């Protein structure tokens, strides 16, 4: 079994590959893994085991179709994580998001088609659904993205759907809620707040802090992706969530408690443009069809994540303060 994983120098893809290589997914213990990653500011070579025998690392861009056509033959499956992933950056500069998330995904699918790779999982996000005031999204909910990031992911989902409908590609899509865990870039809310507090700095809280997100530990997300890769049906979308809905203010207070800080560490900042109020996922399909269940409780997962950042300043300080290229 040979699996090609795009974007696996980033947060979630690297967790998936580390787990895969350590034998964490039954039936895939001998998998050979090729990682294709452009090493943007978000990619970090140090997120992957340097010299693992079953890992090959290729630095390259998913927008480079000739490279994909050279690389893909001989692989049994592609798990596609590569994306521009930070909403705030998409508000300032959307072009890279459309280029990589829409154009790059189309290239990946085209290369899968032309080279005869048998199976693809396209990793997407619940943000494609927009914002929901009450209830939870099922997979048939309309796509109503509100930010350039979410719109580019929705575009990639529709391109993926078209490659299933038109070409019959053996493809499934996952849509997951917000992830947290080790190795997440400190531009994202939870690691930004943890690392600021570890440095004795304030944390910037958007608006009134009442925006609600559903949180899932990265390990549970990756297990869901693996289940979909192994047993998911072609042409289907699978939501992956954890049921842990929290306001940003609640998350902030929990982190203040875990790090021994008080209210004075909160700095209120103007709300994010297009800030979705609430995300909530109905994940009954993946539970009933594939037997998925998250294993990490939010309280334990968050405490472990705080400890990981406390114990690993050598990882996050260069990433946060701009010397990341030295860590590649
Ligand atoms: P990340 O930003 O940490 O990592 C993205 C990786 O993709 C980086 O290693 C980067 O170098 C690589 N990359 C970017 N552009 C590339 C290109 N053109 N060619 C090749 N590689 C490129 O992102 P993440 O948080 O690990 O997210 C991974 C995937 O999961 C994304 O598709 C994202 O939309 C999705 N997702 C993320 C979350 C979350 O909470 N982080 C939730 C649901 C879904």
């Amino acid at each position: 079994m040979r699996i090609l994983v795009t974007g696996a120098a980033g947060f979630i893809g690297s967790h998936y590959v580390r787990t895969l290589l350590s034998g964490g997914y039954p039936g895939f213990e001998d998998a050979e893994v090729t990682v294709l990653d452009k090493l943007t500011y978000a990619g970090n070579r140090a997120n992957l085991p340097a010299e693992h025998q079953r890992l090959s690392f290729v630095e390259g861009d998913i927008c480079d179709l000739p490279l994909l056509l050279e690389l893909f033959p001989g692989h049994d499956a592609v798990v596609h994580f590569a994306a521009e992933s930070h909403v705030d950056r998409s508000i300032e500069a959307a072009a890279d998001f459309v280029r990589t998330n829409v154009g790059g995904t189309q290239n990946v699918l085209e290369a899968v088609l032309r080279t005869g790779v048998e199976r693809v999982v396209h990793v997407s996000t619940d943000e494609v659904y927009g914002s929901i005031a009450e209830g939870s999204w099922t997979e048939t909910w309309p796509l109503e993205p509100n930010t350039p990031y979410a719109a580019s992911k929705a575009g990639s989902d529709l391109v993926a759907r078209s490659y299933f409908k038109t070409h019959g590609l053996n493809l499934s899509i996952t849509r997951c809620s917000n992830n947290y865990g080790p190795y997440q870039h400190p531009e994202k809310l939870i690691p930004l707040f943890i690392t600021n507090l570890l440095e004795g700095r304030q944390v910037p809280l958007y608006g009134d802090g009442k925006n609600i997100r559903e949180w899932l530990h990265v390990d549970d997300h990756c297990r869901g992706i693996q289940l979909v890769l192994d047993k998911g049906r072609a042409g289907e979308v699978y939501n992956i969530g954890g049921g842990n809905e929290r306001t940003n203010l609640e998350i902030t207070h929990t982190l203040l408690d875990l790090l021994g800080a008080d209210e004075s560490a909160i700095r209120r900042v103007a709300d994010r443009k297009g800030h979705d109020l609430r995300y909530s996922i109905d994940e009954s399909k993946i539970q009933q069809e594939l037997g998925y269940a998250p294993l990490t409780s939010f309280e334990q997962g968050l405490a472990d994540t705080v400890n990981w950042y406390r114990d690993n300043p050598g990882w996050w300080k260069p990433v946060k303060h701009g010397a990341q290229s030295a860590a590649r």
Side-chain angles (χ1 to χ4, degrees):
M1 165 79 69
R2 289 186 69 200
I3 302 183
L4 188 138
V5 188
T6 70
F11 166 46
I12 305 172
S14 70
H15 188 94
Y16 176 78
V17 167
R18 289 193 307 273
T19 310
L20 186 59
L21 291 174
S22 66
Y25 299 133
F28 286 71
E29 289 87 352
D30 299 328
E32 307 264 337
V33 180
T34 306
V35 167
L36 170 64
D37 197 294
K38 189 180 172 185
L39 295 179
T40 67
Y41 79 95
N44 188 339
R45 192 64 185 82
N47 293 357
L48 293 166
E51 305 290 343
H52 198 287
Q53 273 189 335
R54 286 184 284 111
L55 175 66
S56 315
F57 183 86
V58 178
E59 182 172 347
D61 190 335
I62 57 168
C63 297
D64 180 353
L65 184 58
L67 172 67
L68 306 190
L69 293 174
E70 200 180 301
L71 209 55
F72 281 25
H75 289 90
D76 302 293
V78 170
V79 185
H80 175 41
F81 290 93
E84 289 292 338
S85 71
H86 190 40
V87 174
D88 287 346
R89 286 177 188 259
S90 82
I91 294 167
E92 299 305 321
D96 280 348
F97 286 72
V98 175
R99 177 183 172 277
T100 287
N101 299 0
V102 184
T105 297
Q106 187 268 325
N107 268 341
V108 167
L109 300 172
E110 185 63 30
V112 163
L113 180 66
R114 291 200 209 167
T115 62
V117 174
E118 281 169 19
R119 177 92 179 110
V120 196
V121 173
H122 169 57
V123 178
S124 190
T125 166
D126 63 351
E127 300 196 29
V128 298
Y129 298 121
S131 186
I132 188 164
E134 287 173 10
S136 301
W137 296 300
T138 61
E139 290 80 355
T140 54
W141 202 268
L143 302 188
E144 295 176 329
N146 292 322
T147 64
Y149 164 66
S152 67
K153 291 299 289 188
S156 69
D157 287 16
L158 295 179
V159 172
R161 174 189 153 87
S162 78
Y163 270 74
F164 166 70
K165 287 280 183 187
T166 304
H167 299 292
L169 231 57
N170 181 359
L171 169 154
S172 305
I173 297 172
T174 60
R175 292 188 184 137
C176 188
S177 56
N178 281 35
N179 282 213
Y180 69 96
Y183 295 95
Q184 186 170 28
H185 195 289
E187 69 183 356
K188 301 278 169 54
L189 187 136
I190 286 180
L192 175 68
F193 282 21
I194 295 173
T195 57
N196 274 14
L197 292 169
L198 285 171
E199 292 180 313
R201 294 162 58 187
Q202 287 186 303
V203 297
L205 183 66
Y206 278 133
D208 60 11
K210 290 195 176 143
N211 304 67
I212 296 171
R213 298 290 177 266
E214 185 174 331
W215 292 96
L216 186 69
H217 194 275
V218 63
D219 191 57
D220 285 323
H221 181 193
C222 289
R223 222 158 13 77
I225 290 168
Q226 180 61 20
L227 268 178
V228 171
L229 175 70
D230 198 15
K231 299 191 176 121
R233 285 182 294 137
E236 294 294 319
V237 177
Y238 294 91
N239 285 344
I240 307 176
N244 294 300
E245 288 185 39
R246 299 281 190 288
T247 65
N248 287 347
L249 191 59
E250 285 169 336
I251 296 281
T252 305
H253 279 293
T254 308
L255 292 175
L256 293 179
D257 287 348
L258 285 167
L259 284 140
D262 62 34
E263 279 290 302
S264 65
I266 300 177
R267 179 169 54 90
R268 304 272 180 172
V269 297
D271 207 356
R272 173 193 269 171
K273 286 186 197 170
H275 205 176
D276 290 329
L277 186 58
R278 177 171 174 261
Y279 298 158
S280 179
I281 270 195
D282 181 330
E283 60 166 5
S284 41
K285 178 173 171 180
I286 192 170
Q287 285 177 349
Q288 288 162 15
E289 218 180 271
L290 306 182
Y292 170 79
L295 297 178
T296 309
S297 78
F298 185 67
E299 290 66 28
Q300 189 59 53
L302 199 60
D304 291 348
T305 301
V306 167
N307 288 335
W308 188 87
Y309 282 91
R310 189 182 272 126
D311 293 345
N312 288 280
W315 182 86
W316 60 263
K317 284 199 172 174
V319 176
K320 184 166 181 166
H321 299 300
Q324 185 212 357
S325 52
R328 277 187 183 178

